Amino acid sequence: MKNFDTLKDLQVTLDKDRPGTLAKAAMAISNAGINIEGFCEVDGQFHTVTSDPAGAKRALESAGYKVRENDVVVFHAEDRPGFLAEILKRITDNEINVGVAYTLTNTRIAVGADQASKLKDVLQEFAPTAARTR
């Protein structure tokens, strides 16, 4: 695995679970000229990582949404069976609670956890020796 970054996950509670609510939030970001690098929506909770989190937050707030920002650790995933399971098992073995996890473009995964610095240490164990930084 290559190095990882800490990025911002923007969390938005959509107005109602009906046609068009997710599209409205995505359109607010699009109209600001900001790329959505990854997202998930479950039960009215829209999470996204964008190319410009501050701009996306402003765009969403201008559209009437309340936005929560959370740090997520983003890392490149190996495209092979078992990779995600290995990562999540190691996170679990270190008693870290995952709050959000989803895929991004370019075979990347975003993970938000209650112990971000400990999560980074665990993920660092998967990084090649030459790429490790402390």
Side-chain angles (χ1 to χ4, degrees):
M1 176 177 17
K2 296 179 181 178
N3 272 343
F4 51 87
D5 296 311
T6 301
L7 300 177
K8 292 294 180 189
D9 164 73
L10 302 179
Q11 178 183 354
V12 175
T13 300
L14 300 175
D15 299 329
K16 295 180 183 175
D17 191 14
R18 65 173 192 240
T21 56
L22 180 58
K24 178 183 170 189
M27 190 60 69
I29 296 168
S30 174
N31 288 341
I34 297 168
N35 187 46
I36 293 174
E37 296 185 19
F39 78 95
C40 70
E41 187 274 333
V42 177
D43 293 331
Q45 296 298 310
F46 172 53
H47 290 265
T48 188
V49 169
T50 69
S51 60
D52 177 2
K57 182 179 180 184
R58 282 191 303 274
L60 288 163
E61 288 174 342
S62 292
Y65 294 104
K66 286 186 176 183
V67 180
R68 288 184 46 199
E69 289 183 74
N70 300 295
D71 287 338
V72 288
V73 178
V74 174
F75 54 93
H76 287 273
E78 294 177 22
D79 189 8
R80 63 171 174 80
F83 178 78
L84 179 61
E86 290 170 19
I87 293 285
L88 294 174
K89 176 151 182 10
R90 185 69 58 90
I91 291 169
T92 299
D93 290 347
N94 282 272
E95 298 182 0
I96 299 170
N97 185 46
V98 172
V100 64
Y102 53 98
T103 58
L104 307 177
T105 59
N106 300 316
T107 318
R108 295 176 297 158
I109 297 173
V111 177
D114 60 355
Q115 300 174 60
S117 62
K118 190 173 178 181
L119 174 61
K120 288 179 187 179
D121 288 341
V122 168
L123 293 174
Q124 197 67 19
E125 296 173 18
F126 283 85
T129 305
R132 291 184 183 168
T133 56
R134 292 235 177 208

